[in-house]
Amino acid sequence: MVGTAHAQVQFRTSRGNTQALILEDDPGRRMALNEALESPRSQHPMPPLTAQQAQALRRAQDLRLAGLYERARDSLQVLQKQVPHHPWLLTELARVHLGRNDPASVERLLRSERAAAHDSLLGGRELVTAYERLAKPREALATMLDVWSASADEAEWTAPKMLRFAAIEPRATRELMRAATLRAPMRADLARAEALVLSRVGAPTEAAGVLHRLDAASPHRTPQRFLFAEEVITSGVRADSAAAVEALLDLTSDPAAQPEMRVASARRAFDLAAGSGREIDLAPRLTQALRDIPASRWGGGLLLSVTRALRQGGRTVEARALLNSEPSLASNVPELRLETLLGDLREHPSMQLVASLDSLASRWSPARFPLAEAQFFTGAIDSALANYGRVTKDPRHPQAGAAFDRLYLLEEAPTSPAVRVLGRIEWERWRGQAARARALADSLYRVTPRSGPLGAHTALELAELRMDGNDARGALGPLLAVADSLPDDRLAPRARQRAGDAYLSLGDAGNALAQYEECLARYPKAWNAPEVRRRVEQLRKARRS
């Protein structure tokens, strides 16, 4: 055992190989010292050192750990004359040069020795560090990939570095990773690494292609596309999520894969897309990818999710075709039956459709709110009132709040022709026809008395539609009209808050704060007071900072 300036180090020789053991209580220092005394790596058996040579090596290591680099170098150079080209001595000398901050000597030493010995592991880590200090990222990356290609055990060290290189040298990383995987086409770890690099440089489709080729060459094992997706989705990087979806989608569309695996991949891809709000874009691609697998084998959850996303994306014909491909399934599963009816409602509200929704709602309560909406859209105001009322009786109902809003509107003037126009506006808005809804709301706002029972609602409807169309300045007029002229209306707190939101979207934080503060001063117990209070605190904090 020998003492250093930092710790106690014990050396052990077994079968001719010398190993350093660290006797140190502090975990951080112990880890650093372990890295400093790591055994050298080599693709070839290392010749044993004599007891005298091992002792000389230990003294040199002790000098390096004590910071006496020149003395350590001199000792190693003497020892090298006795045992030339030995991996222990070469690695230790490279570490001494790095301690002396002489990366150029490391490059000269290890490049020639690695080439002569045909040894990609020899001094690999030290040479990569030297290249990094010499600002030679391409050479560092090439060396790192040589090390990784020679030993899969090096992935723990090389993978994080590879991603850092990909951020600063994306083109070089991409090219060198491609070359590495071509040299070892059956190495799954390298293929997944290349896919990850492609993900980070914005090529998710190519990432899926790399894994597709590997799966095609090994059809009897778990698809690498699925394993890759499971690995990267926890990274929290948006690009990785996109690559995971592409890999899963590629697997979903692969006729060579098992149908069960394809459906499982589709389900996982949809869940990932839904988590980032991209399910509407993915739904038609999934439908195409699974076109040769009957919808009855998808599972009700996936079929319902895809159908709903198709409908919400305006692809009503495709949604209807998907459901009609398995009519018995759509008829017997109420969720799917509702999707069929909602698809029809998106095309045109009719009394026949209302009757079908009524029949479904009589045996399945989640259809009650869509039934009330269809009745509102068709002008059956009394029936809509009754069904909205039934929904509000269950405070746990997910549409209870929306049902209350509708009740307040319809109870104000149930016989007014304006209510029927509002029903048409809401239908157009629900089906994604914002421009038509905005045109109707603008016309209704011009003819509706400001102080009438529907004045405030019409004004807010128009303002919301203008805000949705990125016309915050146009939304301010109707919002301030309600907030200033109808301060006692039930919608006045909402109008005041939305006026603040409009100012904020225009970059006018001062007027936004004034509207929020006025809202709290006038309506301290309003239903939206907690949210307005949070926004006031955020704006005040931003001002202080």
Side-chain angles (χ1 to χ4, degrees):
M1 181 184 297
V2 296
T4 73
H6 303 288
Q8 294 291 317
V9 183
Q10 181 179 1
F11 291 89
R12 180 175 66 191
T13 302
S14 175
R15 298 181 181 178
N17 291 324
T18 303
Q19 182 181 13
L21 304 176
I22 308 299
L23 306 179
E24 169 61 56
D25 293 332
D26 184 274
R29 289 167 60 189
R30 184 167 61 248
M31 181 180 296
L33 286 165
N34 268 317
E35 291 176 355
L37 290 170
E38 268 188 332
S39 298
R41 289 160 173 77
S42 174
Q43 290 179 269
H44 312 303
M46 285 185 282
L49 297 174
T50 67
Q52 185 178 5
Q53 291 165 349
Q55 185 177 12
L57 172 63
R58 291 196 294 269
R59 282 197 299 269
Q61 288 176 317
D62 195 36
L63 290 169
R64 174 171 63 85
L65 291 171
L68 302 174
Y69 301 115
E70 305 300 329
R71 290 176 57 186
R73 181 195 59 186
D74 294 342
S75 297
L76 289 167
Q77 287 176 341
V78 170
L79 190 55
Q80 267 196 305
K81 294 178 181 179
Q82 303 174 23
V83 194
H85 314 300
H86 196 286
W88 253 120
L89 303 183
L90 293 170
T91 302
E92 183 61 27
L93 185 56
R95 291 171 181 171
V96 169
H97 286 319
L98 289 175
R100 296 173 57 240
N101 197 24
D102 184 9
S105 293
V106 177
E107 180 185 17
R108 288 192 296 271
L109 172 70
L110 291 179
R111 280 186 62 184
S112 58
E113 292 286 352
R114 283 163 57 88
H118 300 288
D119 192 342
S120 294
L121 292 181
L122 176 62
R125 297 192 180 196
E126 290 72 23
L127 184 55
V128 169
T129 301
Y131 279 135
E132 288 180 305
R133 293 187 186 179
L134 291 168
K136 295 181 176 181
R138 188 181 182 94
E139 290 83 352
L141 180 60
T143 303
M144 184 189 72
L145 287 174
D146 284 343
V147 172
W148 192 356
S149 298
S151 173
D153 294 338
E154 297 294 321
E156 185 177 355
W157 166 69
T158 51
K161 275 185 172 291
M162 176 199 65
L163 292 180
R164 289 199 291 273
F165 280 119
I168 59 175
E169 290 285 343
R171 183 174 179 180
T173 307
R174 184 172 178 171
E175 292 173 354
L176 291 169
M177 277 298 327
R178 178 86 286 251
T181 53
L182 288 174
R183 289 193 300 269
M186 299 306 293
R187 282 278 297 275
D189 58 333
L190 291 176
R192 290 201 300 272
E194 183 185 3
L196 188 56
V197 166
L198 290 168
S199 163
R200 295 294 174 89
V201 300
T205 304
E206 293 181 47
V210 168
L211 299 169
H212 182 112
R213 290 190 290 273
L214 184 61
D215 285 339
S218 305
H220 301 299
R221 64 182 179 186
T222 303
Q224 292 297 320
R225 286 163 287 182
F226 195 87
L227 295 177
F228 169 79
E230 292 300 301
E231 283 181 359
V232 303
I233 57 177
T234 58
S235 70
V237 178
R238 186 178 179 86
D240 291 351
S241 177
V245 169
E246 288 298 328
L248 290 167
L249 186 62
D250 187 84
L251 179 56
T252 300
S253 62
D254 188 353
Q258 293 294 321
E260 295 78 11
M261 175 57 73
R262 292 173 62 189
V263 171
S265 298
R267 189 177 298 113
R268 195 74 174 104
F270 192 89
D271 290 343
L272 287 175
S276 56
R278 292 175 291 156
E279 66 273 26
I280 290 176
D281 295 329
L282 184 66
R285 300 179 68 193
L286 278 180
T287 305
Q288 181 67 14
L290 291 173
R291 64 189 181 281
D292 58 330
I293 297 179
S296 58
R297 299 184 63 181
W298 293 20
L302 178 61
L303 182 58
L304 176 64
S305 298
V306 172
T307 304
R308 182 175 296 156
L310 288 171
R311 174 178 57 80
Q312 292 172 345
R315 297 176 176 268
T316 308
V317 174
E318 293 176 47
R320 186 181 294 115
L322 183 57
L323 291 172
N324 289 342
S325 68
E326 295 290 340
S328 60
L329 188 63
S331 299
N332 296 328
V333 179
E335 292 91 343
L336 296 176
R337 176 60 177 160
L338 178 60
E339 280 304 311
T340 301
L341 295 173
L342 290 176
D344 294 339
L345 181 61
R346 199 178 193 281
E347 294 299 309
H348 184 69
S350 66
M351 296 312 298
Q352 182 180 358
L353 181 58
V354 168
S356 298
L357 281 166
D358 196 359
S359 176
L360 180 61
S362 65
R363 63 180 191 277
W364 191 61
S365 61
R368 182 70 58 188
F369 183 78
L371 167 62
E373 290 283 87
Q375 290 167 336
F376 177 39
F377 297 160
T378 56
I381 304 304
D382 291 340
S383 298
L385 273 168
N387 281 305
Y388 285 133
R390 292 188 181 99
V391 173
T392 60
K393 290 179 181 178
D394 180 7
R396 296 172 298 179
H397 196 289
Q399 279 90 30
F404 269 116
D405 284 342
R406 293 283 198 246
L407 275 179
Y408 288 137
L409 166 64
L410 299 182
E411 287 176 345
E412 284 180 337
T415 60
S416 171
V419 171
R420 297 181 183 276
V421 179
L422 285 169
R424 176 62 184 271
I425 292 171
E426 293 296 347
W427 176 67
E428 295 284 8
R429 190 176 183 182
W430 173 77
R431 65 197 291 260
Q433 299 297 323
R436 294 181 187 176
R438 194 160 49 246
L440 285 169
D442 186 72
S443 298
L444 184 62
Y445 181 68
R446 295 175 187 277
V447 300
T448 301
R450 300 292 184 269
S451 58
L454 296 177
H457 186 93
T458 303
L460 258 71
E461 186 74 24
L462 176 60
E464 294 288 348
L465 286 163
R466 286 178 175 174
M467 289 284 285
D468 291 344
N470 297 317
D471 182 16
R473 194 169 301 281
L476 277 172
L479 288 171
L480 293 175
V482 174
D484 295 334
S485 303
L486 302 171
D488 298 325
D489 192 276
R490 66 177 181 85
L491 294 176
R494 175 67 174 168
R496 188 69 69 179
Q497 176 189 350
R498 292 298 281 157
D501 296 345
Y503 277 121
L504 200 59
S505 68
L506 292 169
D508 190 346
N511 271 322
L513 181 60
Q515 291 297 325
Y516 293 145
E517 290 175 334
E518 182 69 14
C519 184
L520 291 177
R522 286 175 177 263
Y523 317 105
K525 296 183 179 181
W527 62 272
N528 62 334
E531 174 63 24
V532 175
R533 193 169 289 111
R534 279 192 294 271
R535 298 190 187 188
V536 167
E537 292 170 358
Q538 290 170 354
L539 287 174
R540 288 175 176 171
K541 183 178 180 180
R543 277 189 168 184
R544 289 194 296 269
S545 61

